[in-house]
Amino acid sequence: MAKTCVLAQIIENSVIAGDVFKLIVTAPAIAGIARPGQFVHLRLTDQLDPLLRRPLSIADCHAANGTLTLIYRVVGRGTMLMTKLQPGDTVDCMGPLGNGFTLTGQRPLLVGGGMGLAPLVMLAKAFCSRPATILMGGRNEQELFWPNMYAGVCPNIHITTDDGSIGYRGFTIDVLPGLLEKEKFDVIYACGPHVMLQGVAAIAAKYKIPCQVSLEEYMACGVGACLSCTCAGTSGKRHKVCTDGPVFWAEEVAW
Amino acid sequence: MVSNVNDMLAVNIAGIKMKTPVMTASGTFGFGLEYSDFVDLNQVGAIVVKGTTLAPKAGNSGRRMAETPAGMLNSIGLENPGVEEFIHTIMPRLAKYDVPVIVNISGNTVEEYGQLAARLDKTGVAGLEVNISCPNVKQGGIAFGTCPDSAAQVVREVKAKTTLPVIAKLSPNVTDIALMAKAVEAAGADAISLINTLLGMAIDIHTWRPVLGNIVGGFSGPAVKPVALRMVWQAANAVKVPVIGMGGIMTAADAVEFMLAGASAVAVGTANFVNPYAAVEVAGGIRDYLTERGLNQVSQLVGKVNCG
Ligand SMILES: Cc1cc2nc3c(=O)[nH]c(=O)nc-3n(C[C@H](O)[C@H](O)[C@H](O)COP(=O)(O)OP(=O)(O)OC[C@H]3O[C@@H](n4cnc5c(N)ncnc54)[C@H](O)[C@@H]3O)c2cc1C
Ligand SMILES: Cc1cc2nc3c(=O)[nH]c(=O)nc-3n(C[C@H](O)[C@H](O)[C@H](O)COP(=O)(O)O)c2cc1C
Ligand code: FES
């Protein structure tokens, strides 16, 4: 089995907080093989505008009942169109795309910022027998739905907010060194804004802890054909975020 | 003459035999392999691979893609692994398929185009598409494609260095496309393809900065179709060599328009990103169209627009 395009049927599309939605679709061909960190590329209309597909991380996946869960924030026309999807409707879903996280380590630390917390849900579940800890950052208390999502999956949840409305006031990378000093993590997985990932990568290097980051880039094809999404790599070569990534070892990326 | 139904889509463009007249446009289908999970590559008319240069090229930095209404802008800047990597690692994998592979070549100087042509001879490729029209690189690229003399010079050099069929890919960023078409035909081009992307721009009104890292980029997709169609019609009327039409083709109906305008074959570009099956579906749709109209060969459409 490999990448495919399927008409995925909508099962649920509901607001979870503010402008963030949870979309559950049936797509057995994708759900059967998807791994944490992979994404799907959705075609939201048969019309010519908006033209391109939209990449969204797979936040959760049930191979047994063939469903995928996506968590998305409404930011523009495509995600606005997504909010109109009703149970029973279908959406053209291409996936699973990209390489997922490498599930090594016995004491993983997950670090997520904003919508970067979406793919980490599935990752945390994959670790469920091991004590995954998550450090999550958001703008404010309204993003409190994330701890609910991780409850029962991650035994230890640390929170930061930009405004201090809940948890530590500041950024995840302010808290990270302290956490690393207190506990012996053997791998870090991070997803979120570029500056956060850059910070996490630098701290991980300093503490000599292997670190994987999930990058975001503007994408057209999602399958490695157009080269829209490439980023500079340390080897001198450019990486395609859609197929070489979106997950990379931090030292592969030329920050 | 009643032709075999399997042959109704077959075309021969300057000696390149294709099962369907629907090719994939350079830079929009990778090396084909990227799409092999979705598409049976044997069903594609021809695969035109990404613009290839002598040395590997990293391309442009910064944001490289922006969506526009019914279109997109790209500023990839010809990122490619270089001709040697293509010959040694990519072509052997493509050779397993029964599909003509056409290499889109790009150089900084006239001599470089000649070197690329010589290097690609006898490597199993079916033809060369000479890219004198990339808007995203400073040297070469569009500089050659907007002046009839230098365009002709490049084509002449390539012809002198290869026995392969040579397709000259024209830029739409000129005032007189017929003049360009005639110039490359006179220089020996075996076929002409058009259009490459139109030069475009997008600006972020929140930051007051250009959206693309390279400031300007190549505009493609369904939004450019009327311009492309007009240029294909003008070019086809100016030359005798076959014309390959492209620019915004999403459906079989779009492809039929290009053929009526004078294209002997078409290429699907941006549509691949939206629908990986586009090239195969467009070919199937052309077959249906021919059948509905009682036609038995796709060439019966070529240049049949009635402007009288
Ligand atoms: C691998 C990957 C996984 C992602 N996972 C998620 C997720 O789980 N949840 C979520 O809310 N968002 C995710 N994003 C971001 C999401 O793709 C964009 O928010 C979305 O495409 C915006 O579309 P729009 O039409 O609403 O916005 P518009 O601004 O109208 O989009 C215009 C164009 O820009 C592109 N675009 C806009 N923002 C981004 C962005 N941040 N990254 C890449 N392309 C963008 C769109 O795809 C489109 O081509 C992911 C992005 C990538 C690359
Ligand atoms: C992302 C992208 C990359 C491209 N790269 C090349 C290239 O390397 N060489 C070339 O001759 N044309 C290149 N093109 C132009 C296409 O081959 C085609 O001429 C153009 O996109 C118009 O067709 P379309 O509207 O169907 O996409 C590229 C286009 C896109 C969108
Ligand atoms: S999005 Fe096309 S190569 Fe990555």
Side-chain angles (χ1 to χ4, degrees), chain A residues 122-145:
Chain A
M122 184 170 169
L123 179 68
K125 285 197 176 168
F127 271 118
C128 90
S129 62
R130 288 172 256 177
T133 298
I134 186 156
L135 168 59
M136 50 175 70
R139 288 180 296 195
N140 51 47
E141 194 175 359
Q142 283 190 334
E143 299 197 344
L144 255 182
F145 64 90

Side-chain angles (χ1 to χ4, degrees), chain B residues 36-50:
Chain B
S36 59
D37 278 333
F38 302 94
V39 185
D40 175 3
L41 300 181
N42 300 310
Q43 307 285 310
V44 176
I47 295 172
V48 185
V49 305
K50 176 70 191 165

Side-chain angles (χ1 to χ4, degrees), chain A residues 164-239:
Chain A
S165 53
I166 176 146
Y168 177 90
R169 179 188 182 137
F171 302 122
T172 51
I173 48 174
D174 301 335
V175 173
L176 183 58
L179 266 182
L180 296 181
E181 266 158 34
K182 233 174 40 213
E183 294 182 50
K184 290 244 167 311
F185 295 105
D186 57 5
V187 60
I188 298 174
Y189 300 98
C191 185
H194 192 83
V195 280
M196 184 198 100
L197 297 181
Q198 203 172 6
V200 172
I203 296 165
K206 192 172 154 208
Y207 286 83
K208 300 197 167 47
I209 301 174
C211 174
Q212 284 198 316
V213 293
S214 176
L215 302 184
E216 224 177 71
E217 257 307 336
Y218 288 88
M219 293 183 177
C221 71
V223 297
C226 71
L227 307 175
S228 294
C229 67
T230 65
C231 72
T234 38
S235 66
K237 267 196 165 175
R238 293 186 71 88
H239 301 301

Side-chain angles (χ1 to χ4, degrees), chain A residues 52-54 219 227 230 238, chain B residues 58 64-65 67 70 79 274:
Chain A
L52 299 172
R53 289 172 180 268
R54 298 294 190 258
M219 293 183 177
L227 307 175
T230 65
R238 293 186 71 88
Chain B
R64 289 178 168 192
M65 188 280 283
E67 196 186 58
E79 174 172 347
V274 182

Side-chain angles (χ1 to χ4, degrees), chain A residues 2-5 43 48-54 94 97 218-221 223-228 230 238 240, chain B residues 27 29-30 34-35 37-38 58 60 63-65 67 69-72 76 79 222 250 270 273-277:
Chain A
K3 307 168 191 173
T4 48
C5 278
R43 184 177 178 187
L48 299 178
D49 186 29
L51 181 67
L52 299 172
R53 289 172 180 268
R54 298 294 190 258
M94 182 189 214
L97 302 181
Y218 288 88
M219 293 183 177
C221 71
V223 297
C226 71
L227 307 175
S228 294
T230 65
R238 293 186 71 88
K240 296 179 195 178
Chain B
F29 205 63
E34 293 86 343
Y35 278 107
D37 278 333
F38 302 94
N60 294 328
R63 184 164 161 188
R64 289 178 168 192
M65 188 280 283
E67 196 186 58
M72 65 178 277
I76 313 299
E79 174 172 347
M250 301 294 290
T270 303
F273 306 152
V274 182
N275 172 17
Y277 310 97

Side-chain angles (χ1 to χ4, degrees), chain A residues 51-135:
Chain A
L51 181 67
L52 299 172
R53 289 172 180 268
R54 298 294 190 258
L56 289 173
S57 306
I58 300 172
D60 204 355
C61 140
H62 279 278
N65 49 16
T67 59
L68 299 173
T69 303
L70 314 175
I71 301 170
Y72 64 96
R73 167 169 283 148
V74 180
V75 298
R77 294 207 308 140
T79 43
M80 180 55 87
L81 272 174
M82 283 182 70
T83 66
K84 308 280 193 290
L85 292 168
Q86 300 282 337
D89 291 351
T90 55
V91 63
D92 183 332
C93 180
M94 182 189 214
L97 302 181
N99 287 313
F101 292 100
T102 310
L103 276 70
T104 53
Q106 291 306 311
R107 290 187 60 82
L109 173 67
L110 281 45
V111 184
M115 294 310 294
L117 283 154
L120 299 183
V121 176
M122 184 170 169
L123 179 68
K125 285 197 176 168
F127 271 118
C128 90
S129 62
R130 288 172 256 177
T133 298
I134 186 156
L135 168 59

Side-chain angles (χ1 to χ4, degrees), chain B residues 26 48-52 78 102-106 129-131 169:
Chain B
S26 174
V48 185
V49 305
K50 176 70 191 165
T52 300
L78 286 181
I102 296 167
V103 183
N104 179 273
I105 57 170
S106 207
E129 183 178 60
V130 185
N131 181 7
K169 184 161 178 181

